Structure formats: C-alpha cells, structure tokens
C-alpha cells in the first residue's frame, strides 16, 4: 500500500464522520493537556532551578549547620588556591522602629516586627544579583551600624531609608532596600521579611546567645579551573566534618534539594492523575473507534474482496488512528501549555515560579507520545475484531465478524496490561508505584464495570405500569451499542480522582486553618535567657495574658543507645530504609541526626498521657521519658539507656516511661523529658507560651522588642494562616487538573452518545412515530443518562472518600471529618453533569424529523 493510497483512504474514511472525529480529538486532548501541564510545570521548575543552580546557592558550594562551621573546614577552604569564602548567619528576631529603649514609653513602645535576619561576613553573593536600592554594592551600604531591609519592613514599621531601627536593642541606620536575593526562594513560606546586616553589626546586636537558633553557612566560590574538581573538594571537606550530622555540604549541582524532592513527589502524584485523565480519554477513543468501524464493515468487506489482506487493512486503520491521535495530541499539547501558564499564575505565591522555564519540548514530546500511544492501544481491540469481517458481507449484510480466537484475545489483553504498566511506571518514575497504580485502576474499573452491567440487567426488568418514556429510558441502558459500561467507568474514575484530590486538600487545610482549641496559646516565646524569665513573665501578666506556661530547655545530641554509637545505628537504619523504600526520607535516621531539645518536669502536662512505665519512680537512676512514636523511631523501649552529649558532657539516662502527646493542643511539648535535678546545672534557656488578649499581640511584641530584644515571639495564628494560604494556592492548581479528569469522563459519555448518533436518530424517529413527544423522548434519554451518572457518582464518590480517608489518616496523620452532604453533593453534581452532557450530545438526533431518518434508513 503506497502513501498516496493511504492518504486517499484516510480522506474517504473521514467523510460523514467528522462529528465522531471531533470527539476522538477531544477525548485525547483533555488527557494530553493534563499530562503536558504537569510534566511541563514540574520539569520546567526543576530545570529552571538547575540552570540557576549557582545563583540559587549564591556559590559553588556551601557548608551549613546549626553550629558554627568548624575552624578546620574553613582553614581547608582557605588553602584552595583562588577560592573565596563568605560567612553567613541567619536567624529569626524582632526589630523595632528607631526609638531608644530608655526614651520609649513602656506602655507605648516602638512598633516591632518579626524578621529573618542575615549577617554577612565577606563578599556576597558570588553568583546571581542582589538587587538593591540604591543600586550599589552591598559592602558600600553595610557597616557595623547600618542595615538594608526588605520593602515590607519599611511599610510595616512606618520607616524610610535614612531612618533608624533597633536590632537587639542597638540602633542601625537603614541605608537601602533589598528587592531580591539570589539564594532566597521567594515562593517559599517565610516567617518574616529580610533584613541584612554585616557580621560586625550582628555581633554588636548581641543576639547570638546560648540557645539561640542560628543557621550558619559558609559560601565558597571556586576558581574556574577547579570547577571540575568539586566532588573531590566536597569529599575532602566532608572528611573534616564530624559524623554526628551537625553539618552538611551542598553544591550547586544539587541546588535546593529539599524543594526539588518535594516537587518530584508532587509531580509524581499529579502525573498519575494526569495519566488517569488520558486513560479515561482512551476509553472514549475506543468507543469512537468501535462506532466508526461498525459503520465501515461493508467497506472492510469490499477491501477484502479487492485483494487486501487483513494485515494491510489493520495497518490502514491503525495508521488512520495514529494520524487522528497525533492531531488530538497536538491539540492537547496546546491546551496543556495554556494550562501550565494558568497554574504558574495560580501558584506564584506558593512556589518559586520565577525560575520556571516555559520552553519544554521534552514534556510536549511526552504528551504526544503518550497521546498517540493511548490512542493506538485503545483502538487495538475494536480493530482486531473488525479485521474478522468476512468478505461474504458484500452479499449478505447480516454476516457479522467471526469471534476472535482465545489466543488473539489473550495477546491483546497482555499487550494492553503491559503497556498500561509501562505508561504508569514512566509517568510515576517508579515501577512499584506504576504497578500499584495499574492494579488499583483495574480493580476500580472492574467494580464500575460490574455495577454498570448490573444496572443494565436490573433496568430491563418489565415495568408494565410505568410510563412509556420511563420504560424506554430504562431499557436503553441494555440496548446494543449502549454506552452504559464505558460511560460509567469513565465518569466514575473521573469523580473518584477529583473527589480524592478535593477531600485530601480540604482535610489538610482544615487541619491547619481550623480555630485553635479554646485553651491553646496564641504566642510562643523562644530564646529567653534564664535570668530574663521573671521580667518576661511580669510583662506578660501586665498585658493581661493568661495560661502562661514556661519550661527550661536544654540542647543535646544523642550519641549512643544501649552502648551502640548513634553513627553506627544511623547507617544501619539508612541502609534498611533504602532497601524497603528506595528514595524515601529516612525519618528514623533523622531522629538520630538532629539536635534534640530536652526539658525537665516534676509532673507531666495535661496533654501528655503516660502509656507505659512509671514517671520518676526509680530514685537511684537518672530517668528519661520518651514520646511513644519517637521511641519507635529511635528503637528504644523501657529500660533502654540513651547517652546524650550536652555541650561536650555525656550523660546516660534510662528510659523508664513512654508518653502519648496530643500535639494538636499547641502546648509546649517535647519528645524527651528528663527527671528533675539531672539537668539543673546544664546550659539552658527557657521557652514560654501564653494566651494573649485578642488584638494585643502587637503591643506585647513591641514591648518585648524594647525590653528583651533577644527574645523572639511567634504568633501561632499567623503561622497557621500563612500555611493555609499556601495550601489554598496549591489546591487551585490541583483542582484544575482534577477537573480535567471529570471533563474527560463527560467528554467520553457525550462522545459515546454522539458515536451512536445514527442508531440514536433511528430510535428517536421510531419513538416519535409511535406517538411520543419530543419532551417524552428527552425524558427517556434523561432517565438513561441520570442512571449512568447516579451509578458512576455513587461508586466514584464512595471510592474517592475511602481513598481520601486512608491518605489523610494513614499517610498524613490528619483527623478525618465526616461531611455526608459533600458526598451527596458529589453524587448529585455527577447526575446533573451526566444528564447535561448526554442531552447536549443528543440534540442533533432530537431535532431530526422522523421522515428524514426513515428515508435515510430505507434509502
């Protein structure tokens, strides 16, 4: 078969089928659009971060930690010929307008603001641009008595360039405005605007005290000729670091690893949702191709009589399907690019979309490949069946295709299954996830299919006393060529996907945004020095704060458990977890890496429940109580001995009790609580919580900034509101993609109805000839579509609710809230959408007069 013959056949076959071809294209386009949008956004953001890697790190490599960078590491960096290094310290603190403490009225102190303070010692940045106003170098503006600030600082404190502000009780002149930092992801949630000072200025503010939460970084710029040796340099520096996990090294080749890992997880989840949309579209393609070939049986028989072999006919129609699939995929790519741009605007405040690369030919190619592949796979079963049309059909119109052999059916089924697993694995980036997705999809599709068959059987039972339009509407569910099974499966999967996304998103938002418990604190105070607490407590009581709670806090590291070194245990856990869950976070190892915060208490607070052991019941043993889940991560039980390093002094503590903590109470709670008397002489600070009168948070914060400048106050409600706002932005993008899945299901339902338009037109003509009015015919059709929507909505809603329940309660430890009216609304909305799309696709058949249809049939 030559190319010219193929093209002539393609043109002839498209005659009279343009409506079906439109639905063919629409089914594919909806799925391909979601694939392209998800792949383009995630890959574009990842590539953007990679391409801006040195800019986002502001260096070639960085050594970071919660403790000062070891002197030996800095000395090793200085020995690298041509290398430069800059020290950076970052912390949360309060700043205030420039009135000196002795000049301020204690009842009307200067307005304060929680900020992210960065102290810089050296040239900054090495890469990227620090946008300042006035436009000059940072070292020109900064000295030990000056600062540059984000615009929000000026706005919220009512200051301007040249005014004074106080940091740590010391006055600093505002000499400029920082518009943009290269190594700060603007889309990430922050607790306050940025303030930049010099290292000497930070030392003068005297904020770095015992227990202060400071992030230390040493930025390193390598000479160009050593860029290829970065792995060797990292290995040498890593050898100088302690193995306790206090510091880590990050290079520009892995810029923003936490952000990129999170993006990969989200894109994997959304990628499978997009693949689901595409597979639902594949059902519509199969339905359209089946109806298309049903009208081409005579042509296939003629081709066989003319000498065409079945293989050639298969390639002919398969090629036509590939061409149509390419057209549909191209349309989907265009829609996906538009959708990606819309998602980018929606998520502008939640993710660093300014680094997004819009030129994404690979994601577009992925959409094309997946679209054409799904179109060919979906059309394979009806094509194989059509190839068995006998040539005798030219003379005998009642000669139906011979049933395929079991071998052919098995081969087609195996090809579809393996291809589905392959597509899911490619989209998710994991064979295990792809296999689970395929298995779950098959189970849900089987449930929906069985429900559809059951509905068709029940609906055809005789109902002599029912109205005529109702009997015909029920009977239509089991007529030859009905779209019952395909419509219910497609629409049910769409509802399941969208409802799951919505319920998970709402559950997370509700968990964070719901009102705090009545007795929950509205503010936390940290970095309180031991001798400052009486004054801080007096200030809180003066401001009529209640439920004031304060406990001492000691910083320590776990160095051993039952005599085994923490580094050894950490390596074993990481290896075990990597074997069980490749690429997953090793939370158990994290528990051994992080610096622990301890307290000591005579009695447990009300939100702590003792579940094992006895509290302080062994007078001759230094005791410690461990939170139950944390105990599981550490692998400790009653009687285990935990060795802690407290400022270089090791202390052995015996686990004598396990506790269950209600973290949702927002009280001051710790994983580790030590027996009173054991830590009395250890270096310590205090943390406090209080419930402040409504509307007085700012007043309290201002007085703290004036009298205790090193104390940081965090408003609980503001933090929750920021997280909830970010989740809301993310939810908009997720719902948009989930809506495409439902749209694909509705398109298939409408497409299936349209694909049977000839048969449906004859049915309308017959019903009208028998005396039914157009309104009664519409009622008959509406009954059919309503039942399809009802079954799809019920199963999809139940499946979505069950899936969301397990994701929230088991995967995210979020409380499940029963909202039955939402589930009822989901079912009702599905019914309405099914009826609307079905009737819209039947408009052409309803408008035809009976005589036109009868003439076309008899003619």
């Amino acid at each position: 078969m030559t190319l010219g013959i193929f093209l002539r056949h393609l043109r002839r076959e498209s005659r009279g089928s343009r409506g079906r071809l439109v639905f063919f294209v629409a089914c594919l386009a909806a799925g391909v659009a979601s694939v392209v949008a998800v792949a383009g956004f995630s890959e574009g953001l990842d590539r953007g971060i990679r391409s801006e890697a040195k800019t986002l790190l502001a260096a070639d490599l960085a050594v970071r930690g919660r403790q000062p960078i070891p002197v030996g590491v800095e000395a090793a960096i200085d020995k690298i010929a041509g290398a430069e290094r800059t020290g950076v310290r970052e912390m949360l603190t309060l700043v205030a307008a420039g009135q000196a403490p002795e000049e301020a009225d204690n009842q009307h102190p200067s307005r304060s603001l929680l900020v992210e303070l960065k102290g810089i010692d050296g040239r900054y940045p090495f890469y990227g641009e620090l946008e300042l106003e006035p436009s000059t170098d940072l070292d020109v503006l900064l000295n030990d008595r000056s600062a540059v600030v984000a615009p929000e600082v000026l706005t919220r404190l009512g200051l301007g360039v040249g005014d004074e502000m106080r940091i740590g009780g010391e006055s600093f002149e505002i000499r400029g405005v920082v518009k943009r930092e290269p190594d700060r992801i603007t889309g990430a949630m922050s607790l306050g605007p940025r303030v930049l000072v010099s290292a000497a200025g930070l030392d003068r503010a005297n904020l770095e005290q015992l227990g202060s939460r400071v992030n230390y970084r040493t930025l390193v710029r390598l000479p160009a000729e050593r860029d290829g040796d970065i792995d060797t340099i990292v290995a040498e520096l890593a050898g100088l670091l302690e193995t306790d996990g206090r510091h880590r090294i990050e290079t520009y080749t892995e810029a923003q690893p936490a952000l990129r890992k999170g993006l990969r997880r989200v894109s994997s989840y959304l990628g499978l949702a997009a693949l689901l949309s595409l597979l639902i579209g594949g059902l519509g393609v199969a339905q359209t191709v089946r109806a298309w070939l049903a009208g081409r049986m005579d042509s296939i028989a003629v081709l066989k009589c003319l000498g065409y072999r079945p293989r050639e006919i298969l390639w002919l129609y398969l090629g036509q399907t590939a061409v149509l699939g390419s057209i549909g995929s191209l349309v989907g790519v265009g829609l996906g690019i538009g959708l990606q741009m819309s998602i980018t605007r929606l998520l502008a405040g939640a993710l660093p979309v300014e680094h997004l690369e819009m030129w994404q030919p690979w994601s577009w190619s992925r959409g094309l490949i997946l679209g054409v592949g799904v179109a060919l796979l979906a059309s394979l079963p009806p094509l194989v069946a059509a190839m068995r049309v006998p040539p005798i059909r030219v003379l005998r119109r009642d000669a139906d295709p011979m049933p395929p052999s079991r071998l052919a059916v098995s081969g087609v089924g195996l090809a579809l299954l393996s291809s589905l697993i392959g597509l899911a694995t490619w989209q998710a980036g994991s064979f295990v996830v792809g296999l689970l997705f395929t298995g779950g999809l098959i189970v849900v599709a089987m449930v929906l299919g069985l429900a559809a068959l059951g509905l068709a059987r029940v609906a055809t039972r005789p109902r002599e006393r029912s109205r005529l339009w109702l009997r015909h509407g029920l009977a239509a569910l089991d007529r030859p060529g009905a779209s019952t099974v395909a419509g219910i499966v497609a629409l049910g999967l769409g509802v399941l996907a969208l409802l799951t996304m919505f319920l998970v998103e709402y559950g997370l938002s509700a968990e964070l945004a719901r009102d705090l418990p009545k007795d929950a604190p509205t503010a936390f105070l940290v970095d309180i020095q031991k001798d400052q607490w009486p004054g801080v407590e007096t200030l809180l009581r003066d401001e009529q704060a209640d439920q004031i709670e304060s406990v001492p806090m000691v910083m320590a590291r776990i160095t051993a458990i039952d005599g085994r070194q923490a580094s050894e245990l950490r390596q074993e856990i990481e290896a075990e977890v990597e074997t069980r869950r490749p690429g997953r976070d090793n939370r158990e190892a994290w528990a051994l890496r992080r610096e622990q915060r301890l307290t000591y208490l005579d009695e447990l607070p009300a939100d702590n429940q003792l579940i094992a052991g006895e509290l302080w019941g062994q007078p001759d043993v230094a005791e410690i109580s461990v939170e139950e889940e944390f105990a599981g991560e550490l692998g400790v039980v009653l009687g285990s001995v935990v060795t802690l390093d407290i400022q270089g002094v090791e202390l052995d503590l015996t686990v004598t009790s396990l506790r269950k903590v209600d973290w949702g109470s927002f009280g001051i709670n710790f994983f580790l609580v030590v027996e009173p008397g054991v830590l009395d002489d250890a270096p310590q600070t205090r943390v406090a919580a209080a419930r402040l009168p409504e509307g007085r948070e700012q007043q309290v914060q201002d007085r703290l900034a004036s009298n205790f400048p090193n104390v940081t106050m965090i408003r609980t409600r503001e933090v929750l509101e920021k997280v909830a706002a970010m989740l809301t932005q993310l939810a908009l993008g997720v719902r948009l993609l989930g809506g495409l899945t439902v749209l694909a299901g509705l398109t298939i339902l409408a497409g299936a109805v349209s694909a049977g338009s000839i048969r449906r037109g004859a049915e309308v003509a017959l019903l009208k000839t028998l005396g039914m009015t157009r309104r009664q015919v519409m009622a008959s059709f509406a009954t059919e579509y309503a039942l399809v929507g009802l079954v799809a909505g019920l199963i999809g809603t139940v499946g979505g609710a069950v899936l969301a329940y397990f994701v929230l309660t088991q995967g995210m430890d979020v409380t499940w809230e029963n909202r039955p009216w939402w589930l009822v609304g989901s079912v009702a909305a599905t019914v309405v959408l099914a009826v609307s799309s079905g009737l819209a696709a039947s408009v052409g058949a309803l408008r035809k007069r009976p005589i036109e249809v009868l003439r076309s049939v008899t003619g």
Side-chain angles (χ1 to χ4, degrees):
M1 182 182 297
T2 65
L3 178 61
I5 294 175
F6 172 79
L7 294 176
R8 284 200 300 273
H9 274 292
L10 178 62
R11 186 176 65 255
R12 291 169 183 169
E13 293 294 336
S14 66
R15 294 173 184 170
S17 302
R18 287 180 174 80
R20 295 173 187 169
L21 299 183
V22 167
F23 280 104
F24 184 108
V25 170
C27 289
L28 274 184
V32 171
S34 55
V35 169
V36 170
V38 172
F41 184 82
S42 58
E43 291 177 13
L45 197 53
D46 187 71
R47 285 182 56 190
I49 291 174
R50 285 179 180 273
S51 65
E52 298 289 328
K54 290 189 177 183
T55 297
L56 291 172
L57 193 60
D60 290 307
L61 64 89
V63 185
R64 63 172 69 228
R66 291 283 188 175
Q67 298 290 330
I69 307 302
V71 176
V73 173
E74 294 185 338
I77 294 171
D78 293 337
K79 291 180 181 179
I80 302 174
E84 297 180 70
R85 68 177 173 87
T86 292
V88 175
R89 287 173 285 171
E90 296 174 297
M91 63 189 305
L92 282 174
T93 191
L94 293 176
V95 301
Q99 195 174 18
E102 60 273 11
E103 301 173 359
D105 182 351
N106 194 43
Q107 297 302 318
H108 300 88
S110 302
R111 188 169 180 82
S112 62
L113 179 66
L114 183 67
V115 301
E116 294 181 350
L117 183 66
K118 176 186 282 188
I120 299 171
D121 182 14
R123 184 159 73 93
Y124 173 83
F126 291 126
Y127 300 100
E129 182 181 0
L130 178 66
E131 297 182 13
L132 299 173
E133 187 179 307
S135 181
T136 185
D137 292 337
L138 183 63
D139 55 5
V140 174
L141 298 177
L142 290 185
N143 55 46
D144 64 343
R145 295 182 177 274
S146 64
V148 295
V149 302
E152 300 94 316
V153 176
L154 301 181
T155 302
R156 296 177 64 177
L157 293 182
L159 300 175
V161 175
D163 290 338
E164 297 283 327
M165 66 183 299
R166 287 187 295 106
I167 305 175
E170 299 293 334
S171 293
F172 286 77
E173 178 190 359
I174 300 175
R175 300 191 61 189
V177 178
V178 55
K179 296 293 188 68
R180 181 177 179 271
E181 292 176 82
D183 58 340
R184 191 184 196 211
I185 295 295
T186 57
M189 191 193 76
S190 62
L191 293 178
R194 175 68 80 194
V195 173
L196 301 181
V197 296
S198 66
L202 184 58
D203 291 337
R204 188 171 71 89
N206 196 31
L207 291 173
E208 193 174 348
Q209 300 182 16
L210 176 66
S212 298
R213 291 166 175 78
V214 183
N215 290 317
Y216 298 87
R217 280 195 298 158
T218 293
L219 305 179
V220 182
R221 182 183 185 275
L222 300 174
E225 61 272 13
R226 297 296 305 274
D227 194 56
D229 301 331
I230 190 169
D231 291 337
T232 303
I233 294 173
V234 168
E236 293 175 357
L237 295 179
L240 298 174
L241 294 174
E242 298 180 16
T243 59
D244 56 7
R246 296 188 183 191
H247 299 90
R248 69 178 187 274
I249 302 175
E250 180 181 336
T251 69
Y252 74 89
T253 59
E254 52 183 18
Q256 301 295 333
L259 175 63
R260 287 167 54 199
K261 181 182 291 185
L263 287 174
R264 282 195 295 270
R265 289 179 177 175
V266 172
S267 63
S268 175
Y269 167 70
L270 294 180
L272 290 176
L275 179 61
L276 179 59
S277 298
L278 185 56
L279 294 176
I280 292 174
L283 292 176
V285 169
Q287 193 81 357
T288 304
V289 171
R290 184 176 290 108
W292 178 31
L293 293 176
R296 292 293 181 270
M297 287 189 181
D298 294 343
S299 299
I300 294 174
V302 170
L303 290 175
K304 285 189 173 182
C305 291
L306 293 176
Y308 281 80
R309 290 173 292 182
R311 183 175 66 252
E312 292 177 321
I313 298 174
L314 175 64
W315 284 112
L316 170 65
Y317 284 96
L318 203 61
Q320 294 175 3
T321 302
V323 171
L324 293 173
S326 300
I327 295 173
S329 299
L330 286 171
V331 173
V333 168
L335 293 174
I337 294 173
L339 183 60
Q340 177 183 333
M341 296 174 66
S342 300
I343 295 175
T344 300
R345 286 193 290 270
L346 288 173
L347 302 184
L351 291 174
V353 295
E354 68 273 9
H355 298 289
L356 180 67
E357 286 193 8
M358 295 301 296
W359 176 253
Q360 289 296 321
W362 171 238
S363 67
W364 305 341
S365 301
R366 171 183 286 204
L368 282 172
I369 294 172
L370 286 174
V372 175
V374 167
L376 293 176
L377 288 172
S379 63
L380 194 58
L383 283 174
V384 171
M387 293 311 97
R388 302 184 68 84
V389 173
I392 193 64
R393 185 179 175 86
V394 174
L395 302 177
R396 293 179 54 189
R397 298 288 300 276
D398 58 345
D400 292 326
M402 295 177 290
S405 64
R406 292 184 177 179
L407 181 62
V409 172
S410 301
V412 171
L414 184 61
L416 290 175
L417 180 61
S418 58
S419 300
L420 181 57
I421 295 175
L423 291 174
T425 299
W426 185 28
Q427 191 74 347
S430 167
F431 176 74
V432 175
V433 175
L435 196 62
L436 292 174
F437 172 81
T438 303
L441 183 63
I442 291 174
V443 170
V444 175
M446 288 178 61
V447 171
L448 288 166
L450 291 173
L453 294 174
L455 174 65
R457 295 294 181 269
V458 172
T460 54
R461 291 183 179 178
R463 292 176 177 82
E464 292 79 3
R465 296 182 181 181
S466 303
R467 293 182 179 272
L468 181 62
W469 57 266
L470 179 60
R471 293 203 304 271
H472 279 281
L474 294 173
L477 293 168
D478 197 36
R479 71 178 187 279
S483 58
T484 305
V485 174
I488 288 178
V489 172
L491 195 54
L493 288 173
V495 172
L496 182 145
L498 181 60
L499 187 65
T500 301
M501 292 180 185
F502 176 78
L503 291 177
V504 169
E505 177 273 326
Y506 181 84
L508 286 174
S509 299
E511 185 79 3
L512 293 169
R514 69 167 53 101
D515 290 336
L516 295 174
K518 292 182 179 181
D519 58 348
T522 57
F524 284 91
L525 284 67
V526 297
D527 297 341
I528 306 171
Q529 298 303 306
K530 192 174 182 179
D531 60 345
Q532 290 179 322
W533 172 240
V536 172
E537 184 179 21
T538 299
L539 186 153
L540 292 175
R541 296 195 184 280
D542 287 346
E543 292 291 341
Q544 300 177 5
D546 59 5
Q547 299 179 26
I548 300 173
E549 180 185 3
S550 175
V551 295
M553 185 176 71
V554 176
M555 306 301 294
R557 282 189 174 272
I558 298 175
T559 59
I561 296 177
D562 291 328
R564 299 189 62 189
Q565 293 300 307
S567 57
E568 178 187 348
L569 294 172
R570 193 166 62 242
Q571 292 174 359
E572 289 182 5
I573 292 172
E574 288 174 346
E576 180 185 354
V577 173
E578 184 64 26
T579 301
R580 290 187 283 111
R581 300 176 296 173
R584 300 290 296 274
D585 281 342
N586 298 335
R587 180 173 172 84
E588 297 90 339
W590 164 84
L592 291 168
R593 284 197 303 267
R594 63 166 292 193
E595 195 170 27
Q596 305 295 334
R597 295 171 174 83
L598 320 174
T599 191
Y600 50 90
L601 301 170
D602 290 313
E603 297 179 356
L604 294 178
D607 51 10
N608 283 239
Q609 178 185 355
L610 205 65
I611 61 172
E614 184 181 359
L615 191 68
W616 323 144
Q618 301 182 25
D620 298 330
V621 176
E623 301 177 58
I624 187 171
S625 178
V626 187
E627 192 268 342
E628 59 169 342
E629 292 186 4
F630 194 66
E633 293 171 3
L634 292 177
V636 301
V637 295
L638 294 180
S640 295
V641 177
V642 179
T643 303
L644 299 175
D645 180 349
I646 304 174
Q647 301 291 316
V649 178
E650 289 199 345
L651 179 66
D652 292 334
L653 299 171
T654 302
V655 179
T656 58
S657 63
L658 301 178
R659 297 169 289 116
K660 182 177 183 179
V661 177
D662 178 15
W663 300 102
S665 67
F666 288 90
I668 302 177
N669 282 301
F670 293 80
F671 289 120
L672 303 173
V673 176
V674 181
E675 178 184 10
V678 176
L679 301 177
D680 288 350
D681 297 328
Q684 57 192 264
T685 59
R686 295 189 74 87
V687 293
R691 186 167 183 82
L692 304 178
E694 187 174 355
R696 303 195 66 172
E697 289 92 346
Q698 186 65 48
Q699 170 76 7
V700 174
Q701 179 177 287
D702 293 344
R703 290 190 62 187
L704 283 170
S706 177
N707 295 282
F708 306 99
N710 62 289
V711 175
T712 300
M713 173 176 149
I714 300 175
R715 303 184 193 183
T716 309
R717 192 174 298 278
E718 284 189 2
V719 175
L720 291 178
E721 288 174 352
K722 285 187 176 183
V723 176
M726 184 176 65
L727 281 176
T728 299
Q729 285 181 294
L730 292 171
L732 289 174
V734 171
R735 289 178 190 172
L736 188 58
L737 292 171
L740 278 178
T741 310
V742 174
L743 178 62
L746 292 173
T747 303
I748 290 160
L749 179 62
V753 173
S754 177
S757 58
I758 296 178
R759 183 185 291 107
R760 184 52 59 95
E763 182 181 345
V764 171
L766 180 59
L767 293 175
K768 287 183 177 180
T769 302
L770 293 175
M772 289 181 67
T773 63
R774 178 180 295 184
R775 180 176 298 179
Q776 289 175 319
V777 175
M778 289 183 63
S780 174
F781 287 178
T783 301
E784 176 187 353
Y785 305 140
L787 287 172
V788 169
L790 179 62
V791 174
L794 279 173
I795 298 178
T797 297
V798 171
V802 171
L803 185 57
Y805 171 82
F806 282 105
V807 170
L808 287 171
T809 58
Q810 305 300 318
M812 302 181 179
D813 197 23
V814 172
T815 303
W816 173 260
E817 293 185 11
N818 290 317
R819 297 185 178 272
W821 288 112
W822 285 16
L823 305 185
V824 173
S826 171
V827 176
T830 307
V831 172
V832 171
L833 290 173
V835 172
S836 301
S837 61
L839 290 179
S842 305
V843 168
L846 290 168
R847 285 179 177 175
K848 289 186 178 181
R849 293 182 298 171
I851 190 63
E852 295 176 5
V853 179
L854 294 175
R855 283 176 178 173
S856 63
V857 174
T858 57

